[in-house]
């Protein structure tokens, strides 16, 4: 008689969430101590959102001090899973959370599937960078985790001056915000230091 699989809530009772992931069953766990990595296969009877999957991964990292967490979802046949194209923005956010460098390059990108090839069109100069950093393989792993399918990822560059200007403007705004934040923090630290000096002088 086959042993009944335990659910996520059975094994990780301190993981609090309202997501369907809590009811998914743990089919397999592989721990690789040398690389500080864990692989978990989940059998799910309901669709699990990418943000909820990310939340569970963060929990595993924090709870067990594991650097690399890879979770593969195996859906029951009757589960309606949103298309890759329809979930593309969420997939970008999921990938960017793990690899922040991809956020700017993949924003406003478009995705197209032909057979088992996922073609990602980006509108900035970044394809060489994405490939050099292995982000094609990274995305393939993520898609395998989310959909249980093996895809080949291909980045395609299509220059669009309007998109480039939008990204450059956003980058400048972000940089300006970081500078203003740093100045504000430095000013606050200076004022705090001055207050401490005054208090020390008064006590003396």
């Amino acid at each position: 008689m086959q042993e009944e699989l335990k659910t996520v809530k059975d094994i990780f009772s301190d993981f609090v969430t309202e997501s369907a992931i809590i009811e998914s069953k743990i089919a397999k766990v592989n721990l690789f101590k040398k690389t500080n990595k864990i692989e978990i296969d989940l059998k799910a009877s309901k669709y699990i959102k990418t943000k909820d999957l990310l939340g569970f991964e963060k929990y595993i990292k924090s709870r067990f001090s594991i650097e690399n967490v890879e979770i593969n979802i195996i859906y029951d046949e009757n589960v309606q899973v949103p298309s890759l194209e329809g979930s593309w923005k969420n997939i970008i956010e999921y990938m960017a959370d793990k690899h922040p460098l991809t956020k700017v390059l993949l924003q406003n990108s478009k995705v197209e599937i032909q057979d088992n090839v996922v073609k990602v069109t980006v509108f900035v100069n970044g394809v060489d960078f994405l490939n050099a950093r292995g982000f094609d393989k990274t995305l393939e792993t993520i898609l395998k985790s989310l959909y249980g399918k093996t895809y080949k990822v291909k980045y395609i560059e299509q220059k669009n001056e309007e998109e480039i200007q939008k990204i450059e403007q956003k980058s400048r705004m972000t940089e300006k915000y970081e500078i203003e934040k740093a100045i504000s923090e430095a000013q606050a630290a200076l004022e705090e230091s001055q207050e401490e000096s005054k208090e020390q002088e008064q006590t003396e």
Side-chain angles (χ1 to χ4, degrees), residues 158-189:
Q158 181 177 324
K159 292 184 179 180
N160 184 312
E161 291 302 324
E162 183 179 352
E163 293 294 337
I164 292 174
Q165 289 177 8
K166 286 181 181 179
I167 292 173
E168 288 178 346
Q169 182 180 7
K170 184 175 181 180
S171 298
R172 286 195 295 269
M173 291 175 65
T174 301
E175 183 179 1
K176 180 182 178 182
Y177 168 77
E178 293 296 337
I179 292 173
E180 291 176 347
K181 181 181 177 183
I183 292 173
S184 177
E185 290 176 350
Q187 182 64 32

Side-chain angles (χ1 to χ4, degrees), residues 66-107:
I66 294 178
E67 184 176 352
N68 300 307
V69 178
E70 183 177 315
I71 299 176
N72 300 308
I73 304 176
I74 306 166
Y75 286 109
D76 292 346
E77 291 184 2
N78 61 336
V79 179
Q80 294 293 323
V81 180
S83 68
L84 194 158
E85 296 94 334
S87 302
W88 182 236
K89 287 185 178 180
N90 292 331
I91 293 172
I92 292 175
E93 290 297 323
Y94 179 82
M95 186 173 178
D97 191 274
K98 292 169 170 287
H99 309 280
L101 290 172
T102 63
K103 188 174 183 66
V104 173
L105 295 177
L106 292 180
Q107 68 175 339

Side-chain angles (χ1 to χ4, degrees), residues 11-12 25-32 37-42 56 60 66 70:
I11 302 299
F12 307 105
K25 296 181 178 181
I26 300 174
K28 185 173 67 174
V29 176
N30 290 324
L31 179 62
F32 305 92
K37 176 182 178 180
I38 190 170
E39 292 180 356
I40 302 175
D41 286 359
L42 296 180
F56 183 50
I60 294 293
I66 294 178
E70 183 177 315

Side-chain angles (χ1 to χ4, degrees), residues 7 10 30 36 41 48 50 54 66 114 146 173 178 180 184 191 197:
T7 64
D10 290 333
N30 290 324
N36 196 21
D41 286 359
I48 298 172
T50 52
L54 189 60
I66 294 178
Q114 292 183 352
L146 294 175
M173 291 175 65
E178 293 296 337
E180 291 176 347
S184 177
E191 292 175 355
S197 296

Side-chain angles (χ1 to χ4, degrees), residues 88 105-114 117-131 135-136 139 152-160 163-164:
W88 182 236
L105 295 177
L106 292 180
Q107 68 175 339
N108 301 321
S109 61
K110 295 182 179 179
V111 64
E112 178 186 4
I113 303 174
Q114 292 183 352
V117 178
V118 175
K119 296 182 178 180
V120 182
T121 302
V122 297
F123 299 99
V124 293
N125 298 324
V127 168
D128 290 341
F129 175 84
L130 290 167
N131 290 328
F135 286 125
D136 52 341
L139 183 53
K152 175 71 175 177
V153 170
K154 182 178 181 181
Y155 292 111
I156 301 170
E157 192 169 281
Q158 181 177 324
K159 292 184 179 180
N160 184 312
E163 293 294 337
I164 292 174

